[in-house]
Amino acid sequence: MTKYNFYAGPAILPKEVMAEASKNALELGDSGLSILEMSHRSKEVAAILDEAKSNVYELFDISPEKYDVLFLQGGASSQFFMSAMNFLGTEESAGYVDTGAWSTKAFKEASAFGKATTLAASKDKNYNYIPKGYEIPSDLKYLHITSNNTIFGTQYKDFPETTVPLVCDMSSDIFSRPLDFSKFGLIYAGAQKNLGPAGVVLVILDKEFAAKQSRDVPTMLDYQTHVKKDSAFNTPPVFPIYVSMLTMRWLKKNGGLAAMATRNTEKANLIYSEIDRNSLFYGTAATEDRSDMNVCFLLHDEAKTDAFLADCAAANIIGVKGHRSVGGFRASIYNAMPKEGVQTLVDVMKSFESKHV
Ligand SMILES: *Cc1c(COP(=O)(O)O)cnc(C)c1O
């Protein structure tokens, strides 16, 4: 029996993607080899790496003349320091917005390389909102933000109004909606939330921003190494890139990012309206900043937590226990979560209310 997977990450992937990936894990096409044992220099794998890249350009509607697309390792966590190591010189300043645990970590790493300043934070309310209206000095090298806060369930609906290039951790909402790329200098996203399996991080780098590299860095940590060698300077994580490529094919087939955004908002509205209606539950994030990807909610009566989780389990729902820093519940409803999965969770909330009120 397959379950509705609401885990925050590693997370749900489209069933057809996993079916196709498993088939090719046995034999890629009629090559006689598994994709797992093939050289990254083979023509078959080269074609996969190529398609992965071109799918990124196509889905975001951006041009290879302006942007470099890279597939790197070390997770989003390595991008915390790699972005600053490359782009924050000792005498340069960068702004950081602290919207939760991941932003805090990114800021900590940057401070080692240059002048990093926290311009705004939502720590005062346990990160339940996205700060707005703070001043952004125009001479900053970049402004670092986290577009979606996986743990606290908040998401930027509009990005900050500034001419300062944004460096953005998009790990948990990449490909969930179309983007105005003119604002971004660098986007990074660990694959395992909304794109593919763990093991690869997608980086999209504006060439103009990239030209303002601040210092020489070790070869593997220099974005230009990977730009020059097309993400194959050393052995790339072929299988995670392959599965991500299949997910992007699936996104294209299902109407691209505009269609995803519509679907994601529908799914999010479905569960948020139940949270607001149901007398037993309440949402934790400020209404206008609620994430379409990670939905955090609590029971007024915490003593009923295990009973609700048991009802979820009985309905084949898994992964809704909240992160310890918020408590309660978190439903991660990434691109691959079907609407009927969200409806099933809503039905469980309704029947839970009828049993307990
Ligand atoms: C999961 C997550 C990370 C960490 O990703 P790793 O690939 O495990 O390093 C960073 N930022 C955000 C927003 C995340 O959701």
Side-chain angles (χ1 to χ4, degrees), residues 35-238:
I35 184 170
L36 299 170
E37 58 182 349
M38 286 177 95
S39 164
H40 55 295
R41 314 276 178 208
S42 66
K43 68 175 192 317
E44 290 89 346
V45 173
I48 285 168
L49 300 178
D50 241 34
E51 185 181 341
K53 232 172 82 164
S54 62
N55 284 350
V56 175
Y57 287 115
E58 194 178 328
L59 281 165
F60 277 129
D61 194 19
I62 52 175
S63 116
E65 276 80 60
K66 287 197 70 180
Y67 295 93
D68 288 310
V69 167
L70 305 174
F71 295 98
L72 306 182
Q73 299 188 69
S77 299
S78 293
Q79 292 304 307
F80 296 161
F81 73 79
M82 194 166 153
S83 52
M85 195 181 209
N86 281 263
F87 296 117
L88 184 56
T90 319
E91 298 303 318
E92 292 175 322
S93 299
Y96 277 71
V97 183
D98 182 17
T99 52
W102 299 117
S103 325
T104 310
K105 288 185 172 158
F107 171 73
K108 176 174 175 276
E109 298 300 310
S111 313
F113 298 104
K115 292 181 196 129
T117 310
T118 301
L119 298 182
S122 49
K123 195 172 180 182
D124 58 332
K125 292 188 178 164
N126 199 30
Y127 297 116
N128 76 352
Y129 68 101
I130 300 288
K132 295 167 201 88
Y134 47 91
E135 194 157 338
I136 304 167
S138 59
D139 60 347
L140 295 178
K141 182 73 178 288
Y142 63 81
L143 174 67
H144 183 282
I145 59 167
T146 311
S147 56
N148 183 74
N149 298 280
T150 326
I151 294 175
F152 297 94
T154 62
Q155 182 180 31
Y156 283 82
K157 302 296 164 178
D158 299 299
F159 291 104
E161 281 303 327
T162 175
T163 52
V164 172
L166 299 179
V167 171
C168 185
D169 177 358
M170 232 176 247
S171 294
S172 52
D173 67 351
I174 187 97
F175 295 125
S176 69
R177 53 183 173 175
L179 291 175
D180 169 9
F181 259 79
S182 64
K183 290 182 171 270
F184 298 96
L186 169 64
I187 289 173
Y188 59 90
Q192 71 275 18
K193 305 316 190 336
N194 206 19
L195 178 58
V200 65
V201 48
L202 169 66
V203 170
I204 305 174
L205 185 56
D206 176 359
K207 288 182 200 257
E208 226 175 278
F209 180 69
K212 296 176 195 146
Q213 186 164 336
S214 303
R215 61 167 67 75
D216 289 334
V217 301
T219 310
M220 272 297 283
L221 301 181
D222 186 338
Y223 289 106
Q224 290 312 312
T225 300
H226 305 285
V227 169
K228 283 178 200 135
K229 296 288 179 179
D230 224 354
S231 300
F233 168 73
N234 67 326
T235 318
V238 170

Side-chain angles (χ1 to χ4, degrees), residues 271-326:
I271 182 161
Y272 283 120
S273 42
E274 177 57 19
I275 291 168
D276 293 342
R277 187 209 60 78
N278 195 307
S279 59
L280 298 180
F281 297 96
Y282 65 101
T284 59
T287 310
E288 64 176 7
D289 302 324
R290 282 171 161 178
S291 168
D292 282 359
M293 298 279 99
N294 310 95
V295 178
C296 295
F297 56 106
L298 299 179
L299 273 164
H300 290 288
D301 176 7
E302 276 180 39
K304 294 191 176 76
T305 299
D306 288 346
F308 180 66
L309 289 173
D311 281 13
C312 288
N316 280 307
I317 287 170
I318 190 164
V320 288
K321 193 171 161 29
H323 189 277
R324 62 187 178 283
S325 31
V326 181

